[in-house]
Amino acid sequence: MEASVFIVGAALILTGGIGVVAAKNPVHSALFLIETLTGVAVIFVLQDAHFLAAVQVIVYAGAIVILFLFVIMLLGVDKTVDWQLKEPIAGQQPLAAIIGASLVGLGVVITTIATDNLTGAIRRGGDRALDSGFTDVERLGRVLFSDYAMSFEITAALLTIAVIGAVVLTRSIGRDDLLDDLDPAPMEPSSAAPHGANDSDLEPDPADGERSAGDAGGE
Amino acid sequence: MISALDPMLVDGVDTGDLLFVLLKVVVAFVFLLVAVMLKIWFMRKVIADFQNRIGPNMAGPWGIMQSLADGVKLFMKEDLVPENADRFVFKLAPYLSLVPAFLVFAIVPLGGNFNETRTLADGTTVTGAFGWGDNLTFLQVADPPVGILFFLAMSSIAIYGIMLAGWGSGSKYPLLGSVRASAQMVSYEAALGLAIAAVVLQSGSLSTNEIVAQQAGEGFGGVVPNWNILLTGFVPFVIFLIAGLAELNHPPFDLVEAEQELVGGFHTEYSSIRFALFFLAEFMNQITMSAIIVTLFLGGPAGPVLFGPAWIWGIIWFFAKLLVFLYGLVWVRATLPRFRYDQLMDLGWKLLIPLALGWFLLLAGLRVADVRNWSGAQTAGFVAGFMAVCMVMASLLMAAVRSARQDRLEREGVDHG
């Protein structure tokens, strides 16, 4: 039972992760990211961390990826791009390969050497908290509002400051030179369509090319 | 390990338990489908009454089979995928709307006897169970310990259905509709969550079964029910109701599919069964949201046993409350005109969220007063002080909004006297 749920969750995470990297369209990448996050939530439920699973879906899938999608759609970068033809940052591919390989190596080394005390939980008293007869929500609440009350408050203040800062920076009240930017820009037709018909003034879209070639052949 | 969430599953899971869980899933599924069919008919009939018309009256007795006929017609229609659409996303979107609508219903307690607490063989106590002897189960598909958070999680997943439908259609009006929808749903989710937090504070649990169990029995003075709508002071209920309507894209918050402005909003390009799936999801969400409100604020299946067998009254009370609520939704739909977009955002951000937050803090303070055994004078002093601080904050906020508007108008050179 447990193993089969784990296999389903792990398959979700892995296919999602590969999809994020492999998908050519940024919106598809974001969708695969949701798949990965949901898979992680499944694993959390399997570990009895119900609260963490719910928050994972609410915060990451429900808010953060929505923001990603907003940015992708409204900036009009939601078109399929073949990065083989157009390299945005010179030399980033070998660099990314090196970093990725070293991270995998690090993971392998850690899991093979430190299998019995991977998270440090055993050193800190083992499963002391797990057996105390409360649900994970109650345990989290207790810890958050006793041991970590100070850091909780500081984080809350930090987030509030960040929100206010973001509003102040984007509004720029009192600066008339920036006021024109506040007017909503006319909507670009191309940002509305995944493969819009008005794409001609933008960079050539490989998918469009393929399709029109296919259509011509078909006719 | 997957923990035992239901008294039936406490002593391990055998084939019988699995079959019973499967039966519960099927019953919930069929119930929702039939309820949607009846709900559409009910809505059209009631609105027709409001408008002095007859409404659907041809298909079946009183026109009750009208939605079935509509459904069959939709299935028979041609299924179009627009040329400009992103085919994968276009086809995925209706299911992303539908599946969360089904899943949320899993946490709603549909019945059970909340008037007695039974003790199981291993010493744990269960309230609101259904069954005999030790063969007990909850009349809900699942009761996860984070119950009501699951509802929030699923409603945030449901946003993707609408957002991706609009984007994947590859045309302008659906995209505008879906951007409106996701902005609206994300904005109102905060108010929704804060209203739920007040209930959770009152009940001390996230599990829906526990929330209902806390509302069973007699309330203040033995005359009023012990429902959260009274215990949390009515304000969270109103906030949840408004935010819930906005979350459903139900009138008066149906800007998402405002026909006059956006053709049909996010589902303009959809036809045939995919269109039907969107509408199925929308009406299922209305039923589920009403059921969640009944569960959170109106005591769910909890209620007195009047006569006959005790187990049936939970189901009767739940459906009676649900029906009253669904009628209320139709009434709102028939009565209120649509909000303008800026009014919608103002209501959500400037009124509902501060009010919900302030009320939550007040309830938390009263909770502390209760735990610490404050005297009546101390509690009254706290409430008065809190109200004064809130008044000062609100007037500061209003002054800031007013001066910002004045600045803006002056810069734009508008003379407003």
Side-chain angles (χ1 to χ4, degrees):
Chain A
M1 181 71 182
E2 197 175 339
S4 54
V5 176
F6 174 77
I7 289 169
V8 171
L12 277 175
I13 295 173
L14 287 178
T15 51
I18 293 168
V20 172
V21 184
K24 294 227 164 93
N25 188 319
V27 174
H28 293 178
S29 285
L31 287 179
F32 281 117
L33 184 59
I34 301 166
E35 188 192 328
T36 302
L37 294 172
T38 318
V40 174
V42 170
I43 302 284
F44 279 155
V45 172
L46 191 65
Q47 298 294 323
D48 260 354
H50 296 275
F51 184 76
L52 214 53
V55 168
Q56 163 97 1
V57 176
I58 294 172
V59 174
Y60 283 93
I64 293 185
V65 182
I66 286 270
L67 269 183
F68 287 177
L69 278 176
F70 259 125
V71 171
I72 292 171
M73 289 178 187
L74 295 181
L75 287 185
V77 292
D78 51 347
K79 281 175 291 294
T80 306
V81 175
D82 194 351
W83 295 114
Q84 299 290 335
L85 301 175
K86 184 168 160 288
E87 183 70 80
I89 307 167
Q92 60 101 14
Q93 281 190 355
L95 215 62
I98 293 169
I99 293 174
S102 32
L103 280 178
V104 169
L106 194 66
V108 169
V109 167
I110 286 176
T111 41
T112 45
I113 290 177
T115 41
D116 53 342
N117 191 11
L118 200 53
T119 55
I122 295 170
R123 197 179 61 245
R124 289 205 51 191
D127 48 7
R128 167 180 56 117
L130 287 174
D131 291 333
S132 55
F134 295 105
T135 65
D136 66 321
V137 183
E138 285 160 342
R139 289 199 303 256
L140 263 176
R142 268 161 208 275
V143 172
L144 214 52
F145 287 97
S146 56
D147 295 357
Y148 298 102
M150 200 58 191
S151 25
F152 186 68
E153 294 288 329
I154 291 172
T155 315
L158 196 68
L159 288 173
T160 315
I161 293 167
V163 169
I164 295 172
V167 172
V168 169
L169 285 177
T170 48
R171 290 300 294 265
S172 311
I173 288 168
R175 293 181 58 186
D176 286 347
D177 52 325
L178 288 175
L179 200 65
D180 295 338
D181 296 345
L182 291 181
D183 294 331
M187 188 129 183
E188 289 283 331
S190 56
S191 69
H195 310 296
N198 301 340
D199 278 3
S200 52
D201 55 333
L202 295 158
E203 52 209 18
D205 188 342
D208 265 6
E210 278 166 32
R211 183 186 294 132
S212 50
D215 286 352
E219 285 154 16
Chain B
M1 195 204 104
I2 297 174
S3 59
L5 310 170
D6 197 293
M8 185 178 65
L9 308 177
V10 165
D11 49 350
V13 182
D14 56 28
T15 322
D17 293 345
L18 269 184
L19 283 176
F20 199 79
V21 170
L22 211 62
L23 180 76
K24 284 205 279 190
V25 172
V26 171
V27 167
F29 189 82
V30 171
F31 167 77
L32 261 184
L33 285 179
V34 174
V36 164
M37 205 184 91
L38 293 177
K39 151 91 191 167
I40 295 175
W41 168 77
F42 175 72
M43 183 191 83
R44 293 179 62 175
K45 263 307 205 207
V46 172
I47 286 187
D49 276 354
F50 272 103
Q51 298 169 346
N52 213 2
R53 303 183 278 116
I54 296 173
N57 64 343
M58 300 305 275
W62 311 291
I64 202 167
M65 306 306 278
Q66 182 64 43
S67 3
L68 194 66
D70 285 345
V72 171
K73 185 195 75 175
L74 274 172
F75 274 79
M76 299 296 175
K77 285 205 163 185
E78 186 189 357
D79 180 27
L80 286 171
V81 180
E83 175 70 27
N84 279 340
D86 184 317
R87 300 183 74 87
F88 170 67
V89 174
F90 186 82
K91 288 180 177 169
L92 178 72
Y95 301 104
L96 277 183
S97 275
L98 189 72
V99 171
F102 267 123
L103 289 182
V104 174
F105 202 68
I107 62 161
V108 177
L110 299 176
N113 187 356
F114 283 89
N115 292 318
E116 64 170 322
T117 303
R118 302 194 215 189
T119 308
L120 297 183
D122 63 346
T124 51
T125 53
V126 183
T127 308
F130 165 80
W132 57 93
D134 269 358
N135 303 310
L136 293 174
T137 184
F138 293 144
L139 283 186
Q140 63 192 90
V141 175
D143 182 34
V146 289
I148 205 65
L149 287 184
F150 181 76
F151 159 69
L152 283 180
M154 283 306 115
S155 60
S156 46
I157 292 293
I159 298 176
Y160 284 105
I162 290 176
M163 196 168 186
L164 293 173
W167 178 81
S169 297
S171 93
K172 249 181 278 179
Y173 288 122
L175 185 77
L176 281 173
S178 72
V179 167
R180 274 187 180 189
S182 19
Q184 175 179 331
M185 290 163 97
V186 170
S187 306
Y188 276 83
E189 208 153 82
L192 203 69
L194 284 169
I196 290 177
V199 173
V200 170
L201 184 73
Q202 182 63 43
S203 303
S205 174
L206 292 168
S207 135
T208 44
N209 175 269
E210 183 64 29
I211 288 174
V212 173
Q214 292 283 334
Q215 299 179 75
E218 284 172 351
F220 185 73
V223 277
V224 289
N226 195 27
W227 293 348
N228 279 333
I229 183 176
L230 300 171
L231 295 179
T232 58
F234 209 63
V235 173
F237 171 73
V238 175
I239 292 170
F240 190 94
L241 185 60
I242 297 175
L245 285 180
E247 194 78 7
L248 289 172
N249 304 321
H250 187 279
F253 303 104
D254 59 338
L255 306 112
V256 174
E257 41 200 87
E259 296 87 354
Q260 296 89 337
E261 303 154 35
L262 293 174
V263 191
F266 64 94
H267 55 60
T268 304
E269 304 286 354
Y270 281 86
S271 60
S272 184
I273 183 169
R274 291 186 223 289
F275 179 79
L277 288 182
F278 273 121
F279 259 69
L280 195 62
E282 188 172 327
F283 282 101
M284 273 194 311
N285 276 326
Q286 286 176 17
I287 293 168
T288 313
M289 186 67 87
S290 308
I292 294 277
I293 291 180
V294 167
T295 306
L296 287 181
F297 291 100
L298 302 177
V305 177
L306 299 184
F307 54 84
W311 63 271
I312 206 168
W313 281 95
I315 301 176
I316 291 177
W317 285 120
F318 176 78
F319 282 101
K321 292 168 187 174
L322 185 67
L323 208 62
V324 169
F325 221 87
L326 286 175
Y327 180 76
L329 281 189
V330 180
W331 195 351
V332 167
R333 179 188 286 269
T335 313
L336 292 178
R338 186 180 297 140
F339 269 59
R340 223 167 53 215
Y341 195 71
D342 59 320
Q343 292 171 332
L344 174 90
M345 285 296 160
D346 275 2
L347 179 70
W349 287 99
K350 292 186 192 155
L351 185 67
L352 288 188
I353 292 178
L355 185 64
L357 197 58
W359 197 263
F360 178 68
L361 286 178
L362 182 66
L363 287 177
L366 291 176
R367 189 90 179 166
V368 172
D370 193 36
V371 171
R372 294 265 166 102
N373 282 322
W374 288 0
S375 68
Q378 277 172 316
T379 311
F382 160 74
V383 172
F386 184 80
M387 288 294 186
V389 170
C390 283
M391 294 285 194
V392 171
M393 300 290 244
S395 50
L396 270 178
L397 180 72
M398 263 143 67
V401 169
R402 206 179 306 121
S403 81
R405 182 182 297 141
Q406 209 165 351
D407 279 4
R408 196 169 61 239
L409 290 175
E410 270 169 23
R411 273 200 303 266
E412 288 167 0
V414 179
D415 183 23
H416 56 291

